[in-house]
Amino acid sequence: MVASESSAKLTIACDVVPTTRFDAVRNRLRAGVVIPAHPLALTADRRLDERRQRALSRYYLASGAGGLAVGVHTTQFAVHEPKVGLLRPVWELAAEEFNRAERAGAAPAVRVAGICGPTKQAVAEAGLAVSLGYEFGLLSLAAFAGRPLAEAINHCRAVSEIITLFGFYLQPKVGGIDLPAEFWREFCSIDNVAAIKVAAFDRYKTLDVVRAVAESGRREIALYTGNDDNIVADLLTRFRFQREAETVELGFVGGLLGQWAVWTSKAVKLLEACRGARAGSGNAVAELLTLGAALTDANAAVFDAAHDFRGCLSGIHEVLRRQGLLAGTWCLEERDRLSAGQSEAITRVQRLYPELQDDEFTAERLDEWLGEA
């Protein structure tokens, strides 16, 4: 059973004394966790494969992920279209698996709902997400392409009245829009913001967001990397800025990533290693940067960087198919498929970088995850 709309809204409002479930979750978010961007499991006729959708959620939570993001780019933005009719079902399935894990003793997970569309649609989606127990809305601003920044900020404020915001800088090549530094300065002035995911795939634009958070004085806003091409460097880097007479140091505390939708148990260990290295020796940092280069190479194959990321969704699905978690690489849009040579590229990086993969972990538990609801 999921939380009622009224009780979920009450929880969201209680952000003073750390006694509510939401306080515990927000503390986990601030400390930093692995949040996979949840894919969509489909059958060959492009219908929801509920059994494998549940199996994916179970895999991520068993891997040690601290949360899941559902209804986001990796889930396929088409699920938000009324004619597709899949947004509520995929949110419900994940919510049921969150609840199942917590009943079994797992720590409360960070529940992130992808929110899309113009303001009327986004507000309605935020209300639905809250009614299903989601605490954070990862807000896509693709609907505001070519529109004044003030409209996008007003949109964010309206949605923040319904659900706590998880800001989202998505690179334009996969459906995002350019969001300059002035946008992020205004965004940081919105009270009900908990975190920002930076998936700009651009160091200059990444710095725009980090600087805006530093200059805002909002140290409670958690930074999450979505830069799948630069994961380890983001997690290791300490960014320093001056705010009046104060030196402000910030860093990415975790990641909300499509790349972390595959090989997730190893991603959890990677985040732990990066935390340790930040407080440890230069040798540890050097080793992790070497691993980071391997991860970028692997991501280039999985995300299809050679073809401007056209095959990124199918690439994620292909890795999960090879592990037995998905039955195929089908997407809602027929044009979303593996690019020429992409399968061979994935084979190459799997052969080169076994240290990135968790096939053994997955094989041992696959039958359990694919069991009946």
Side-chain angles (χ1 to χ4, degrees), residues 236 273-282 285:
L236 290 175
C274 288
R275 280 199 191 111
R278 285 201 302 262
S281 71
V285 171

Side-chain angles (χ1 to χ4, degrees), residues 69-312:
V70 190
V72 295
H73 171 248
T74 303
T75 322
Q76 301 175 49
F77 285 138
V79 300
H80 292 262
E81 297 175 9
K83 66 179 181 181
V84 174
L86 286 180
L87 184 61
R88 186 182 190 113
V90 297
W91 275 351
E92 286 180 332
L93 288 172
E96 289 171 10
E97 294 306 321
F98 282 131
N99 293 340
R100 181 196 302 271
E102 291 180 23
R103 285 195 302 269
V110 178
R111 306 184 185 199
V112 183
I115 307 293
C116 291
T119 303
K120 183 177 179 180
Q121 175 186 336
V123 165
E125 289 186 357
L128 173 61
V130 167
S131 76
L132 295 174
Y134 289 83
E135 299 103 345
F136 305 97
L138 189 73
L139 192 56
S140 168
L141 295 175
F144 291 84
R147 306 273 289 278
L149 290 179
E151 290 186 19
I153 288 294
N154 289 337
H155 170 80
C156 294
R157 292 188 189 280
V159 178
S160 77
E161 294 178 4
I162 310 298
I163 194 168
T164 301
L165 296 187
F166 205 126
F168 187 16
Y169 198 164
L170 178 64
Q171 62 157 324
K173 285 183 179 179
V174 292
I177 61 174
D178 283 323
L179 295 168
E182 53 265 35
F183 170 85
W184 293 107
R185 283 194 287 269
E186 287 296 319
F187 185 84
C188 288
S189 72
I190 299 172
D191 289 338
N192 200 21
V193 172
I196 299 172
K197 166 183 171 169
V198 185
F201 283 45
D202 184 298
R203 305 320 296 157
Y204 301 112
K205 294 173 182 177
T206 295
L207 282 169
D208 282 344
V209 182
V210 181
R211 183 181 296 109
V213 175
E215 292 175 350
S216 74
R218 299 280 302 279
R219 299 299 294 272
E220 77 278 12
I221 296 178
L223 288 167
Y224 273 69
T225 181
N227 291 321
D228 302 75
D229 63 339
N230 209 60
I231 296 168
V232 172
D234 272 356
L235 293 173
L236 290 175
T237 301
R238 306 304 299 176
F239 300 86
R240 291 194 185 98
F241 301 97
Q242 287 298 124
R243 180 176 180 266
E244 298 174 350
E246 176 189 13
T247 299
V248 179
E249 185 175 277
L250 296 177
F252 286 90
V253 298
L256 194 167
L257 294 152
Q259 177 62 45
W260 282 357
V262 302
W263 309 326
T264 309
S265 67
K266 290 297 183 74
V268 171
K269 293 179 179 178
L270 175 64
L271 178 57
E272 292 171 355
C274 288
R275 280 199 191 111
R278 285 201 302 262
S281 71
N283 287 338
V285 171
E287 286 298 317
L288 280 166
L289 289 172
T290 299
L291 184 66
L295 186 54
T296 297
D297 190 17
N299 178 260
V302 175
F303 269 47
D304 194 28
H307 300 95
D308 281 337
F309 309 102
R310 285 196 298 272
C312 62

Side-chain angles (χ1 to χ4, degrees), residues 290-346:
T290 299
L291 184 66
L295 186 54
T296 297
D297 190 17
N299 178 260
V302 175
F303 269 47
D304 194 28
H307 300 95
D308 281 337
F309 309 102
R310 285 196 298 272
C312 62
L313 297 174
S314 297
I316 291 169
H317 291 189
E318 174 63 10
V319 175
L320 295 169
R321 185 197 65 79
R322 294 183 187 194
Q323 290 185 309
L325 283 158
L326 290 183
T329 63
W330 308 293
C331 295
L332 289 169
E333 301 288 346
E334 290 193 31
R335 67 174 180 269
D336 290 330
R337 58 182 64 192
L338 292 170
S339 295
Q342 188 179 1
S343 178
E344 292 79 5
I346 292 172

